[in-house]
Amino acid sequence: MRLGQYQTTATDDPWCGVSTEAGVVDLSTAGSAAGVDVGPRTTDLLDEWEWRRKAELAVEYAAETGVGVHDYDDVERAAPITDPGKIVCVGLNYRDHAEEGDNPIPDEPVLFSKFPTTVTGPGEPITWDPEYTEKVDYEAELVAVIGEETRRVDPEDALDHVAGFLVGNDVSARDLQHGDGQWVRGKSLDTFAPIGPDLVTTDEVANPHDLDIWTEVNGERLQESTTANLIFGVDELVSFCSRAFTLEPGDLLFTGTPPGVGVYREPPTLLEAGDSVTIGIEEIGELTNTCAYE
Ligand code: ZN
């Protein structure tokens, strides 16, 4: 399943829908007609016991009856998750990125966080005040979405706790990030976590550790790698996090970025108003956002 969130008008709350050939199935509407209560938001769905089966029943009912099916032209996309409980990020997690900077391969993941208010959707602008930060950068990342409450899980079982994957851009204000001594402010400006377009459930991803990943800014390819270069895989990261704290449905885990970020290029390629940034991950999708000054 490809789970997204949509709006019927610009002012209504986003609702969780599934992409189908007939259109977008509003899971909450189709589900209640079919006798299974889910939604309205993606996080509400993921909170449900047996949410996969419930979503499938709603989609089957919609296919048979047309209930809850919207034409793609009649809806706007929002971020597939707009209210994550937390966003956990991993630093320096690509072998080729570590080698590029002559950094040693870390023994354990280095975790940091972005505040949930950073989340924005596909097609929405990445915005900042150019007097507040002058060094805004992109980071292509595979993002794992937690599908059930998880505490002290072994790596062998960890992927069972993942709902699916989406494309993320860990937008970073490098001057704030590197000036502060720790990273949370530079990583947490509003709109600095574009995600989407869909949450692709794990059953549709053959191997999350063998996916091409890239970034293009104004059509120029600036990052290109594969998740085969991840130092710590999604299973190890989920296990590692769950030894420290409880992961909850809808939590986002940004798994790190490959080489080619703007700040380390010669000359540096930092983002400016009007720039279009597209992050792509094989099998998951492409996420495009345009930059604007506040
Ligand atoms: Zn990152």
Side-chain angles (χ1 to χ4, degrees):
M1 271 183 298
R2 302 184 80 92
L3 293 163
Q5 285 193 138
Y6 298 84
Q7 287 171 288
T8 325
T9 66
T11 50
D12 60 317
D13 290 331
W15 43 267
C16 180
V18 174
S19 288
T20 71
E21 277 182 21
V24 181
V25 174
D26 175 342
L27 280 185
S28 178
T29 302
S32 57
V36 285
D37 282 328
V38 291
R41 297 167 305 176
T42 306
T43 47
D44 298 322
L45 173 69
L46 298 181
D47 270 335
E48 289 280 333
W49 181 68
E50 294 213 325
W51 61 266
R52 292 174 181 82
R53 184 72 195 122
K54 288 178 178 170
E56 283 165 7
L57 286 170
V59 170
E60 282 167 22
Y61 187 82
E64 286 165 13
T65 62
V67 171
V69 182
H70 293 259
D71 200 280
Y72 286 98
D73 292 337
D74 298 338
V75 294
E76 292 284 332
R77 275 190 180 277
I81 290 184
T82 37
D83 56 343
K86 53 186 165 296
I87 303 176
V88 183
C89 305
V90 184
L92 205 70
N93 196 29
Y94 274 76
R95 215 166 286 282
D96 43 352
H97 187 26
E99 286 164 1
E100 172 195 55
D102 269 335
N103 290 299
I105 303 290
D107 296 328
E108 284 195 326
V110 176
L111 302 184
F112 62 94
S113 184
K114 294 167 91 77
F115 292 131
T117 39
T118 53
V119 167
T120 194
E124 291 178 38
I126 301 165
T127 62
W128 67 92
D129 176 354
E131 293 187 358
Y132 188 72
T133 170
E134 297 180 329
K135 292 190 174 178
V136 176
D137 206 350
Y138 50 84
E139 292 190 355
E141 306 208 7
L142 174 70
V143 179
V145 181
I146 300 302
E148 61 186 84
E149 191 172 298
T150 303
R151 180 82 167 119
R152 297 196 180 98
V153 68
D154 290 330
E156 303 87 288
D157 301 321
L159 284 179
D160 295 342
H161 296 244
V162 173
F165 300 95
L166 46 80
V167 179
N169 186 352
D170 176 15
V171 182
S172 307
R174 300 298 186 196
D175 39 5
L176 308 182
Q177 178 189 352
H178 296 145
D180 278 1
Q182 52 83 29
W183 297 358
V184 73
R185 184 170 65 121
K187 294 283 189 177
S188 288
L189 274 59
D190 290 351
T191 74
F192 273 28
I195 54 169
D198 285 311
L199 192 183
V200 182
T201 51
T202 47
D203 55 298
E204 295 206 5
V205 182
N207 180 0
H209 304 132
D210 186 20
L211 303 172
D212 292 338
I213 179 169
W214 67 92
T215 298
E216 290 180 356
V217 178
N218 303 326
E220 186 185 353
R221 192 158 288 213
L222 298 179
Q223 287 188 289
E224 190 160 39
S225 188
T226 159
T227 58
N229 285 322
L230 281 169
I231 296 167
F232 302 103
V234 175
D235 48 351
E236 291 170 279
L237 293 173
V238 168
S239 174
F240 181 82
C241 291
S242 79
R243 278 160 49 201
F245 46 82
T246 303
L247 292 165
E248 295 173 308
D251 284 355
L252 303 178
L253 176 58
F254 278 64
T255 59
T257 200
V261 295
V263 71
Y264 297 125
R265 301 185 77 86
E266 276 297 335
T269 316
L270 294 156
L271 297 173
E272 296 176 1
D275 284 345
S276 171
V277 187
T278 299
I279 312 271
I281 302 179
E282 184 183 7
E283 294 183 40
I284 313 294
E286 289 190 9
L287 168 70
T288 299
N289 300 86
T290 303
C291 301
Y293 294 144
E294 278 170 5

